[in-house]
Amino acid sequence: MSETNLTGISAYQNISAFPLDSVFQPTHHVKLFHGNSNPELAHAVADYLNIPLGKALVTTFANNEIREKIEENVRGARVFVIQPTCGHVNDTLMELLIMIDALRRASAHQICAVIPYYGYAKQEKKTSGREPITAKLVANLITTAGADRIITCDLHAAAIQGFFDIPVDNLSALPIIAEHYQMKNIPVEDLVVVSPDAGGVARATNLAERLGAKLAIIFKRRPEPDKADVIDIVGDIAGKTCIVVDDMISTGGTLVKGVETLLTHGATKVYAAATHAIFAEDAVEIIENSSIEELIVTDTIPLSEQAKRMSKLKVLSLAPLLGETIRRTHFNLSVSELFV
Ligand code: R5P
């Protein structure tokens, strides 16, 4: 007899079928939920895991407050909420917080916030007096809402992991990006991986090592927020094929200025790769009009219709990586083995 078929008084009458010392111990079954920030990615992860997405209402009241309701039983479940905090970042973050709160109050056993793109990550330190550290504030909010663990990807600064006192798996798109370039069979002696700024050196080094390529670094400054100027390039890029690798593309200024400078200094071709395609302001246009050979991004952030039409853009999906990480988390298997 199925437990779920028991209703009303018959449920009490059949309680002896499930005594507390039953050999059928409660299992923490897996459930996946998502908000409105990237449903396509959530569906792709569910497909990888071959489980259905949980039913939840995520909408707004007439006064614009977010309204949510979990529409199925999650009691005792291990729940993964897939919600990159992208797009209208305040709304998508709030959707995540409210969903975690609803799941906690509905007695989920464990709640893992899967945040493939972590919004506010660029505000991870004070660069001058009287500034907030908003990335830490967001970590506090997510933890206070009731998350037990975090799965994220290519955090702008790896140190953001330490803003949480719960486990954080900071995944990397680099193995997938490296595989893409390996398939191009570019002779390694002609290949240079370029960090577009000092903050990205570890990321670029990792990709260079995976490809057996050399490393170069661009030094940039920001005369004002969202504006980038190249100061210098360190490394031998003349006559080489370059791959600029970054965590995110926002206005596209860092990337496009970097690419043009590399070409001016003698690079023969410049490819680019970034995990998070924010594409703010007129990024799509300036990238399309630039001399970039090809730009690789992932699907942590949904693309606009305009971005989908970009001739230079290729999107690699992180759904299998996220799905596999969820599977390994559930079965207490190593996640770092995915990145050797
Ligand atoms: C900066 O530190 C980041 O790693 C990216 O280089 C930056 O966020 C890209 O921003 P934008 O596209 O606006 O230059």
Side-chain angles (χ1 to χ4, degrees), residues 122 156 196-197 203 220 222 226 228 246-255:
K122 278 166 79 169
H156 174 63
D197 52 33
R203 188 176 302 116
K220 78 171 184 203
R222 285 205 183 274
D226 292 322
D246 211 343
D247 59 326
M248 66 177 84
I249 297 172
S250 181
T251 63
T254 301
L255 175 63

Side-chain angles (χ1 to χ4, degrees), residues 3 16 30 41 57 68 73 88 97 108 123 138 142 153 202 204 226 228-229 233 236 250-251 261 275 296-297 300 316:
E3 192 184 10
S16 57
V30 174
L41 179 63
L57 177 78
E68 299 197 21
N73 178 27
H88 294 290
L97 298 174
Q123 297 184 49
V138 168
I142 293 169
C153 192
D226 292 322
D229 280 346
I233 302 174
D236 182 12
S250 181
T251 63
T261 312
T275 308
I296 301 299
V297 296
T300 57
L316 307 177

Side-chain angles (χ1 to χ4, degrees), residues 16-39:
S16 57
F18 299 96
L20 285 179
D21 59 352
S22 163
V23 289
F24 298 107
Q25 294 300 317
T27 52
H28 301 302
H29 44 295
V30 174
K31 292 204 176 231
L32 294 184
F33 283 87
H34 67 92
N36 289 319
S37 65
N38 196 343

Side-chain angles (χ1 to χ4, degrees), residues 84-269:
T85 47
C86 56
H88 294 290
V89 53
N90 299 333
D91 289 345
T92 52
L93 172 62
M94 203 62 203
E95 278 185 7
L96 173 66
L97 298 174
I98 292 173
M99 184 165 284
I100 293 171
D101 184 75
L103 290 163
R104 183 169 53 86
R105 292 176 195 280
S107 303
H109 168 68
Q110 244 181 27
I111 302 164
C112 176
V114 183
I115 313 170
Y117 168 73
Y118 186 93
Y120 282 110
K122 278 166 79 169
Q123 297 184 49
E124 95 288 13
K125 59 179 176 300
K126 291 173 76 164
T127 50
S128 65
R130 300 186 298 278
E131 284 185 347
I133 302 181
T134 316
K136 168 63 178 157
L137 171 65
V138 168
N140 289 347
L141 291 171
I142 293 169
T143 311
T144 304
D148 297 290
R149 60 186 310 131
I150 307 291
I151 295 173
T152 185
C153 192
D154 286 326
L155 282 168
H156 174 63
I160 294 172
Q161 291 168 85
F163 292 179
F164 291 90
D165 284 326
I166 53 176
V168 177
D169 284 304
N170 180 24
L171 311 180
S172 169
L174 289 178
I176 297 164
I177 291 170
E179 197 179 296
H180 174 85
Y181 287 112
Q182 273 153 356
M183 287 190 305
K184 288 190 184 291
N185 289 321
I186 304 166
V188 288
E189 57 280 10
D190 291 342
L191 200 56
V192 180
V193 175
V194 182
S195 172
D197 52 33
V201 174
R203 188 176 302 116
T205 306
N206 185 322
L207 184 62
E209 282 170 0
R210 285 176 187 276
L211 295 173
K214 294 269 184 314
L215 179 72
I217 303 164
I218 292 176
F219 289 92
K220 78 171 184 203
R221 68 179 190 105
R222 285 205 183 274
E224 57 185 279
D226 292 322
K227 295 274 172 289
D229 280 346
V230 171
I231 306 172
D232 203 0
I233 302 174
V234 174
D236 182 12
I237 48 104
K240 307 285 185 196
T241 299
C242 295
I243 302 171
V244 180
V245 63
D246 211 343
D247 59 326
M248 66 177 84
I249 297 172
S250 181
T251 63
T254 301
L255 175 63
V256 170
K257 289 227 172 113
V259 170
E260 305 307 345
T261 312
L262 291 168
L263 290 169
T264 314
H265 284 71
T268 47
K269 259 187 196 173

